[in-house]
Amino acid sequence: MVFILLAIVLGLALLVWIWKVPIQKTVGAMKKNGSSAVEAYSVIILLLLMMAGTVYMIAQVI
């Protein structure tokens, strides 16, 4: 039970870090170069969907 709670806490911490560091920096850089916020977040969503699809396909093979 302790390991499950620890895994949940670490997972949430990882999600917060992913949101704060790489995603916000990518969106900030895109907005600085003239992109709109909608365009920047849509690129992030497309990248995340492609990564999820890749993980799904690898899981289906294994």
Side-chain angles (χ1 to χ4, degrees):
M1 185 69 178
V2 174
F3 289 120
I4 293 172
L5 291 174
L6 184 63
I8 291 171
V9 170
L10 287 175
L12 289 173
L14 181 66
L15 286 175
V16 168
W17 179 82
I18 286 173
W19 178 259
K20 290 286 185 179
V21 180
I23 291 179
Q24 289 297 324
K25 285 186 178 182
T26 302
V27 169
M30 288 181 72
K31 286 170 70 175
K32 188 174 107 176
N33 288 329
S35 297
S36 67
V38 174
E39 183 181 6
Y41 283 112
S42 64
V43 168
I44 296 294
I45 289 171
L46 284 174
L47 288 173
L48 290 174
L49 286 173
M50 289 187 328
M51 286 176 22
T54 303
V55 169
Y56 174 75
M57 288 181 189
I58 290 171
Q60 290 299 313
V61 170
I62 294 176

